[in-house]
Amino acid sequence: MLKVENINAGYGNLQILRNLSFEVNQGEVVSILGTNGAGKTTTLRAISGLIPIHSGTVYFNDVLLNKKSAEFIVKSGLVQVPEDRKLFTDMTVLENLEMGAYTKGARKNLKKNLEYCFELFPILKERIKQISGTMSGGQQQMVAIARALMAEPKLLILDEPSIGLSPLLTKQVFEIISEIKKNGVTILLVEQNVNQALQLADRGYVIENGEVVMSGDAGVLLNDENLKAAYLGIT
Ligand code: ATP
């Protein structure tokens, strides 16, 4: 579904991504893992058309995305929940969710998709009229994920959904991601929370200094001694 091959990208003259390759197949949850500054967000920016790709290719369902606009990329079904959530904080929960339904198809299915979001996140139904900026961090993360679902993503991209959340809320958010997967949405999950991400994912890629240094089935990575020592604090 998404095939990223040997991309090089960065900011101005500063190269961050080095011959980075990974792929996501239909129906999978794939996790991109790495510490602060490893290049995870930069990878997402490159595939979403927010920074230029100097070389290499990004194909989504066999369409070359290099040089395509961010708008084209979103409309083709690659929908991202950014790390800072980017909610319309002075708008209500409902208004935020409605803003998510910006394609023709999504607008047509708005009611049905709203019901689906409220099934996933009952708290949002209770808080439908609340100004989203006044909600807790965890609730805002739920609004951000629900808004992305309103766009009917083919590939849902989550950038560190657990950041700033308590362990309990993190657990809840991961359970919801697992539920979304069960409903057939393909997911690319960027996380520093290696352990929880790999429990949920089918496969993972570990990035260091803009390069993939390890990849494989999530179960194999979870039991990898080097990964345990480096990221899970277990030796
Ligand atoms: P984090 O968890 O901190 O977001 P990350 O793995 O997502 O980490 P990136 O945000 O992709 O890392 O950052 C990779 C590198 O790119 C870092 O060295 C960072 O300082 C640099 N960088 C990020 N954004 C910019 C920018 N707008 N201009 C210049 N350098 C940047």
Side-chain angles (χ1 to χ4, degrees):
M1 180 180 233
L2 178 71
K3 199 168 176 57
V4 176
E5 264 184 325
N6 290 317
I7 57 167
N8 288 280
Y11 304 95
N13 289 331
L14 185 65
Q15 186 178 6
I16 303 290
L17 305 182
R18 295 158 219 277
N19 292 321
L20 190 103
S21 302
F22 67 95
E23 58 184 57
V24 183
N25 302 311
Q26 177 108 32
E28 278 188 318
V29 175
V30 170
S31 194
I32 294 192
L33 309 160
T35 51
N36 259 333
K40 304 182 298 298
T41 300
T42 305
T43 303
L44 298 188
R45 286 196 187 123
I47 62 178
S48 307
L50 300 174
I51 58 168
I53 294 171
H54 302 317
S55 63
T57 53
V58 177
Y59 282 96
F60 184 57
N61 288 332
D62 298 324
V63 176
L64 182 65
L65 294 188
N66 300 45
K67 300 204 169 82
K68 291 276 196 278
S69 69
E71 192 190 351
F72 175 93
I73 293 171
V74 171
K75 284 196 171 146
S76 64
L78 230 129
V79 180
Q80 197 175 140
V81 180
E83 191 175 345
D84 57 6
R85 298 171 195 141
K86 294 250 177 341
L87 290 183
F88 302 103
T89 48
D90 53 354
M91 289 178 148
T92 65
V93 169
L94 181 62
E95 285 165 343
N96 267 280
L97 297 190
E98 286 172 347
M99 296 290 282
Y102 40 73
T103 63
K104 238 188 191 169
R107 269 197 301 276
K108 213 174 70 199
N109 295 330
L110 193 134
K111 256 192 146 168
K112 187 183 88 191
N113 293 338
L114 262 182
E115 281 312 311
Y116 170 56
C117 286
F118 291 147
E119 258 171 53
L120 275 179
F121 305 101
I123 181 97
L124 299 188
K125 191 168 189 177
E126 289 165 26
R127 305 279 178 110
I128 199 163
K129 288 188 179 150
Q130 185 167 347
I131 300 293
S132 65
T134 66
M135 302 176 95
S136 73
Q139 291 163 352
Q140 291 194 23
Q141 186 61 264
M142 292 178 193
V143 178
I145 296 174
R147 186 182 57 182
L149 289 173
M150 292 297 293
E152 303 189 330
K154 293 194 179 97
L155 176 66
L156 177 66
I157 302 178
L158 300 161
D159 193 357
E160 304 211 20
S162 73
I163 204 148
L165 303 187
S166 68
L168 183 65
L169 270 173
T170 300
K171 189 166 167 273
Q172 275 181 17
V173 166
F174 274 84
E175 279 168 6
I176 287 163
I177 298 170
S178 156
E179 207 47 49
I180 296 170
K181 180 201 169 175
K182 278 190 211 143
N183 288 317
V185 180
T186 308
I187 297 172
L188 179 60
L189 172 67
V190 164
E191 264 297 337
Q192 281 188 48
N193 198 331
V194 172
N195 197 8
Q196 260 165 319
L198 285 177
Q199 308 239 1
L200 172 70
D202 297 297
R203 293 187 301 111
Y205 294 83
V206 181
I207 297 184
E208 268 173 30
N209 293 319
E211 281 179 291
V212 173
V213 292
M214 209 185 280
S215 64
D217 285 344
V220 174
L221 289 178
L222 257 179
N223 289 310
D224 185 279
E225 296 303 327
N226 293 328
L227 194 75
K228 276 189 199 170
Y231 292 94
L232 305 178
I234 307 163
T235 50

